[in-house]
Amino acid sequence: MRSLAVLITALILITNGLSEQKLAGQVSESDVNAKELAKPWTDFWIVRLTMNLFGYATVILPGFIIIVYVRRTNYLDQPGSGYVHRLAQLLVEGSSPDQLKLERFDEDAQPEQPERSFCRQCLLLLFCGGGLLSSYLVWGILQERIMVYRYKNADGDAGELFTNSQFIVFANRILAFLVACAAILFVKQKPHDAPLYKYSYSSFSNIMSSWCQYEALKFVSFPVQVLAKASKVIPVMLMGKLVSRRAYSVFEYCTAVMISVGLFLFLLTSEDSIRGKGRMTTVSGIVILVGYLVFDAFTSNWQDRLFHTYRMSSLQMMAGVNLFSVLLTSVSLFEQGAFQEAVTFMLRYPEFGLHALFLSSSSVVGQVFIYYTISEFGPVTFTIIMTVRMGLAILLSCIIYNHSIALSGAVGICLVFAAVILRAYHCWHKKSQNLPAVQNLGTV
């Protein structure tokens, strides 16, 4: 409950602090194109993305060479017990069968949890729902605050925008990694036998989807970004057919069409859905959002494949993915000198440091509530809560940041959320009849 109080306090502080910055802090549409031409060439998203990918390559390519070398030379078949041999074992093949036997985790030996009363079950549902809503509402508001509005110092000058989305991704991932490791130390886990390098695939796609998510706010409004998340079921279905060879029902394709129609209806009728009216700005926003959807779809499908293959726990998945995320982003940031830039920006504008801290904290708390809610109430309840969260996030953004939504745009929003809820009901109905149902949550 203390964490919820901290997040709610952060939401109040952010809301109060934004009242004086709505006019002076936001980048007006009339100035977008001029500022795009005036900013350093390294701040253009294509250049920044290329630099990020180069940084990731300096980690991925040597790792690939090491894995190929270990396999071709049969390094692990040679006798050895040192740290290097052990690290190579964990990286390429996972834990050895002998060690798994020693660390065997007997689930049947765990004491059965007493059945909760109806009142306790309702209180627990309120706790989980409140935790998810408060943490991700704060997270959503802070996304828009950090990426869209200018920071001012005590002198009251024009201020600056924080432009390095990768640093925000790093801040989120390193805190999530530390929390996951701490939880693993105190909570007994299943034996882990997955090769560590398997996590690097979803880690890379997760970094890219998060980067696209933050970068997109430079070109599109927050409501558009939220609706894009709601419509990610479409690329998730396409990626599911490619990665997992899954089949989908006619009902699932119909709800996907409903989501697409609702999204396009909102985009066509909302005046501030795109920041700036230039063609380059519009294309950039669409390309980045498509990138987010594609990478996020791969992330959820690959993690689902790992869960079914190796049966690791959610905390192990969280630690493994964030381990590689921290490694990739930190190396890339060091190579670009972005750590120094971020620290310098933080010293000039201490408010940014506070916002980044609350953003990372709310993200980690939200991830913990995701795993706990799914384990206690299942994915359908979780999906409904997160759908409510997306609607409240759009409402709060419109109130705090003065976004205008036409009536037809509101109809489009309702159409998207109705389709998501119908999919949740469809999954519950199939589950109650013991029929196979596709339920892919992806990332938030």
Side-chain angles (χ1 to χ4, degrees), residues 21-95:
Q21 299 185 33
K22 285 182 180 179
L23 295 177
Q26 189 178 21
V27 182
S28 63
E29 292 184 356
S30 60
D31 294 336
V32 169
N33 293 332
K35 293 183 184 299
E36 285 289 315
L37 295 175
K39 69 182 181 180
W41 65 273
T42 54
D43 281 343
F44 285 97
W45 73 269
I46 296 179
V47 177
R48 181 76 73 174
L49 176 61
T50 303
M51 295 169 64
N52 293 348
L53 292 175
F54 177 80
Y56 304 153
T58 59
V59 178
I60 294 174
L61 290 179
F64 174 77
I65 293 173
I66 291 174
I67 293 173
V68 172
Y69 172 80
V70 169
R71 287 178 171 173
R72 289 188 176 180
T73 60
N74 296 321
Y75 174 80
L76 296 178
D77 295 337
Q78 303 171 13
S81 59
Y83 289 108
V84 175
H85 190 278
R86 173 63 178 152
L87 182 60
Q89 174 78 39
L90 291 174
L91 178 65
V92 180
E93 292 187 357
S95 299

Side-chain angles (χ1 to χ4, degrees), residues 165-328:
S165 302
Q166 185 177 215
F167 179 80
I168 304 299
V169 176
F170 167 79
N172 290 345
R173 297 300 175 265
I174 190 170
L175 186 57
F177 173 69
L178 294 176
V179 170
C181 290
I184 288 174
L185 292 177
F186 291 101
V187 180
K188 194 172 183 180
Q189 303 291 312
K190 301 177 181 180
H192 182 271
D193 61 338
L196 290 181
Y197 84 91
K198 294 281 188 178
Y199 292 111
S200 63
Y201 296 94
S202 57
S203 175
F204 172 76
S205 60
N206 182 255
I207 290 173
M208 294 303 300
S209 65
S210 298
W211 183 86
C212 291
Q213 178 178 240
Y214 292 119
E215 198 73 13
L217 287 175
K218 299 177 183 179
F219 304 95
V220 301
S221 66
F222 181 76
V224 172
Q225 186 216 57
V226 173
L227 288 180
K229 292 180 183 180
S231 66
K232 68 184 180 182
V233 64
I234 301 170
V236 164
M237 290 172 64
L238 295 176
M239 200 66 68
K241 291 186 72 68
L242 295 175
V243 177
S244 305
R245 307 293 183 183
R246 285 179 172 165
Y248 299 94
S249 65
V250 176
F251 178 85
E252 289 170 314
Y253 282 112
C254 290
T255 53
V257 172
M258 286 178 60
I259 291 173
S260 301
V261 172
L263 179 59
F264 282 109
L265 189 62
F266 176 83
L267 291 175
L268 291 175
T269 58
S270 296
E271 296 180 357
D272 65 343
S273 60
I274 303 296
R275 300 191 183 282
K277 303 302 181 181
R279 181 179 179 184
M280 183 59 67
T281 302
T282 303
V283 173
S284 296
I286 294 174
V287 169
I288 294 174
L289 282 178
V290 170
Y292 162 76
L293 294 174
V294 172
F295 284 115
D296 185 72
F298 177 85
T299 300
S300 57
N301 278 281
W302 185 262
Q303 288 181 347
D304 183 66
R305 183 174 177 177
L306 291 181
F307 273 126
H308 283 83
T309 303
Y310 297 102
R311 304 290 181 181
M312 72 277 291
S313 68
S314 298
L315 285 174
Q316 290 170 343
M317 174 69 77
M318 183 176 173
V321 171
N322 285 302
L323 168 65
F324 283 96
S325 297
V326 171
L327 178 63
L328 293 173

